Each structure stands twice: as C-alpha cells, then as structure tokens.
Amino acid sequence: MERAMPSVDAGNPFLEQGDTIYMTAADSEGMMIGLIQSNYGGMGCGLSPPGMGFALQNRGALYDLDSSVYNSYQPNKRPFHTIIPAFVTKDGRPLMSFGVMGGTVQPQAHAQMICDMVDFGLNVQESGDAARYYHDGSSQPTATVMNDGGTSGIRVRYLP
C-alpha cells in the first residue's frame, strides 16, 4: 500500500518554484473545508502578524494604476487572482472538495480533474497525478491581450 511521504527533503526540484498550497479535510457527515494559501510572490507583502507564524499575501500587486485597463485599481474591485477552491455536489449533497495549483491553468485543471473522475473513473489522487493539457497566453484581466492564439502543451507531474 502506498502511503504519504513522511518528509520531503529540502531542495526537491519540484518544490523550488511556486508559493501556493491547497489542503482539504472532510468528516464522516460530509462537512468539508478547503484552504488555499498563496503569498503570490516571494514572502508575500513581507508582513507577518505578530505571533501568527505566516506572511500576508500581496495579490494587490496585480492591480494596474492605469485606469484604462481591466484590472485597474478602483473602489469595490478585487485584484485578479487564480485562487480557486472547488466543491463538488451530487444530488444536492457534498461529494468532495479539491483544488489545484498552477496560476492561469487552474480553471483548466479543475475541469480536467472533474472529467478524469466522472468520465474516466479516476480517484482524486489518480486525477491529480495525471498529465494535463493546457492553453497559455490568453487575454488576461491584467491587460495582457492574446494576439497570436497562445500556446498549448502537456504538463506532466514530477513524481519523486
């Protein structure tokens, strides 16, 4: 029987990039919680609440001060981000909670995980381990406009 790794050595090349984690928990009655923590860049904004042991994020860095772009800094707006926890229901009842990391690939990966499980019968771990196709380079709320069709590819998960 395969088990979770008891520890991960520092310097694992798979862990050297990225700043996002996702974790979920569920009880026997179907109560679920999903948590995504992402500082966005480096150590987030560089501030840590005294005694709390974590750094605050800096997603506001994605705002643009140019009022003519989509993601401009204005009242009642939230910065563009890709923090997307997912909850799935079946027949009106909670079925599962899951999430993925990967920036703008997250919505695509969520859809692929659902297809893996519903259409191909994979469990959540098998789906998370499966290779994923992706499209990158689309227009973004951060004012990047696609003008060349973007790029497509396959991402294969690194398995230690």
Side-chain angles (χ1 to χ4, degrees):
M1 178 166 143
E2 291 186 25
R3 309 197 96 184
M5 295 185 329
S7 67
V8 177
D9 294 334
N12 182 330
F14 182 62
L15 302 176
E16 288 182 9
Q17 294 183 2
D19 58 13
T20 304
I21 62 98
Y22 176 83
M23 60 183 162
T24 191
D27 67 16
S28 61
E29 297 176 14
M31 181 68 70
M32 297 176 202
I33 183 169
L35 170 73
I36 292 182
Q37 166 58 31
S38 181
N39 291 336
Y40 174 62
M43 292 300 293
C45 68
L47 301 175
S48 181
M52 299 304 290
F54 62 89
L56 299 174
Q57 55 88 9
N58 62 342
R59 292 281 170 178
L62 288 172
Y63 275 132
D64 196 307
L65 296 179
D66 179 350
S67 62
S68 68
V69 299
Y70 300 117
N71 209 43
S72 62
Y73 181 71
Q74 297 176 19
N76 301 313
K77 287 187 82 173
R78 294 180 180 162
F80 172 68
H81 65 80
T82 57
I83 305 304
I84 311 170
F87 288 91
V88 179
T89 61
K90 183 176 181 179
D91 300 325
R93 303 210 17 99
L95 180 65
M96 66 180 230
S97 164
F98 73 96
V100 299
M101 286 70 65
T104 57
V105 173
Q106 284 185 36
Q108 299 170 62
H110 275 77
Q112 288 175 58
M113 286 191 73
I114 294 294
C115 288
D116 285 347
M117 292 181 280
V118 171
D119 298 330
F120 301 110
L122 275 63
N123 66 38
V124 70
Q125 184 65 57
E126 292 167 331
S127 178
D129 290 345
R132 296 189 186 120
Y133 58 87
Y134 67 94
H135 179 269
D136 200 14
S138 296
S139 298
Q140 300 290 322
T142 52
T144 303
V145 177
M146 180 177 65
N147 57 17
D148 63 357
T151 60
S152 296
I154 300 288
R155 287 190 179 170
V156 179
R157 182 177 178 270
Y158 170 81
L159 296 172

